[in-house]
DNA sequence: TTGATTGCAAATTGTTTGCACGCAA
DNA sequence: TTGCGTGCAAACAATTTGCAATCAA
């Protein structure tokens, strides 16, 4: 893989944040260094890097894709109001995957877990109530 | 909530399948009974029904929204090749959520788990190799 | 030198919205 | 009768693609 200025910058942005940015967030950041990058380039690189296992594309719920330079196995919490995503380093659920394997005829390759909730900021917006129920599946 | 022909048909489709269809799948099915429904109506109803808790919108990875008339707590396996989604009735991970609660300052409201793999059909497409690695987060 | 990579603009895809009309309650 | 719900078309948002020009190796 050729290490172009653009690709280096994109990787740099991802490695310099813990915020699991979406493609257009990355784009905005990269633009500060390279004012001419195009959004298409950002998308192409994010996918290529993800395909190569250098970064991770988060299959989270709630709309747009998010990217993470931390490719170690860990889970996430997502704020249902503002979309903030934090890491959650829980022990891996290999036993659970083993359990699942008994119940399906799929060839299992992995799993992910996403916790839903409200981040500290959004918990305090007392007025806006927000739906109360649970968000499990 | 007014029970229109359209809404009844949409609910009927969802209750008559185990395939977790996307909006346009539902649309296609409903059209067989009501040739004039519009896709907009299907979207509006799916969201309204989900908001009312009558059905569930699946926060799965891999693009488009999928819908499920089974609102009980259960998990899913998704085929990374064809997108097929099966149910997986594992015991709920309340203990895991308790564990997570200790590690975050989010107010937790739920979680979901998605297993990734290849469905029986896609496992057999020997030629197309497909990426081998694990798909955990 | 040369094929991978880029920027740009246009095309796709999935979903949402404005609005006048229609129908369930 | 009333206003929620509908069909239609147009608007949107996120992402992808075609193509000629560019540049890392």
């Amino acid at each position: 893989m050729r290490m172009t200025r653009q690709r280096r910058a994109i990787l740099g942005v991802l490695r310099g944040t813990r915020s699991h940015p979406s493609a257009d967030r990355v784009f905005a950041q990269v633009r500060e260094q390279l004012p001419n990058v195009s959004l298409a380039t950002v998308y192409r690189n994010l996918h290529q890097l993800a395909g190569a296992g250098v970064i991770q594309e988060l299959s989270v719920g709630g709309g747009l894709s998010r990217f993470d330079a931390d490719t170690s196995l860990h889970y996430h919490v997502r704020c249902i109001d503002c979309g903030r995503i934090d890491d959650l380093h829980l022990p891996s659920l290999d036993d659970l995957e083993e359990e699942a394997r008994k119940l399906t005829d799929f060839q299992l390759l992995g799993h992910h877990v996403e916790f839903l909730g409200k981040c500290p900021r959004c918990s305090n917006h007392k007025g806006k109530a927000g739906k109360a129920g649970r968000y499990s599946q």
Side-chain angles (χ1 to χ4, degrees), chain A:
Chain A
M1 196 185 313
R2 231 161 89 179
M3 194 45 67
T4 61
R5 259 176 314 147
Q6 295 80 337
R7 188 162 294 156
R8 196 184 345 268
I10 290 167
L11 252 180
V13 166
L14 280 176
R15 291 190 168 146
T17 180
R18 293 183 164 281
S19 73
H20 312 87
S22 57
D24 57 303
R25 285 288 198 160
V26 175
F27 175 61
Q29 291 263 101
V30 171
R31 277 235 143 169
E32 292 176 12
Q33 309 175 225
L34 305 172
N36 294 316
V37 267
S38 79
L39 187 51
T41 295
V42 172
Y43 272 107
R44 277 186 289 234
N45 276 294
L46 288 172
H47 287 141
Q48 194 156 355
L49 291 167
V54 181
I55 64 170
Q56 214 179 15
E57 175 165 5
L58 302 189
S59 298
V60 298
L64 58 189
S65 287
R66 311 277 291 251
F67 299 86
D68 191 347
D70 179 357
T71 58
S72 72
L73 177 63
H74 61 280
Y75 303 128
H76 297 102
V77 219
R78 175 165 57 91
C79 177
I80 58 173
D81 282 353
C82 71
R84 172 177 154 190
I85 296 178
D86 277 20
D87 290 322
L88 219 47
H89 287 274
L90 285 167
S92 171
L93 301 175
D94 292 328
D95 44 337
L96 186 74
E97 197 168 315
E98 218 36 67
E99 208 57 40
R101 210 174 293 277
K102 296 175 192 163
L103 296 177
T104 182
D105 49 3
F106 278 49
Q107 174 198 348
L108 293 190
L109 296 168
H111 66 271
H112 56 248
V113 179
E114 190 185 28
F115 294 90
L116 289 315
K118 295 198 181 197
C119 72
R121 266 179 78 88
C122 294
S123 297
N124 289 333
H125 292 175
K126 297 159 195 165
K128 317 223 147 185
K131 312 189 223 158
R134 286 183 56 81
Y135 287 79
S136 290
Q137 292 179 13

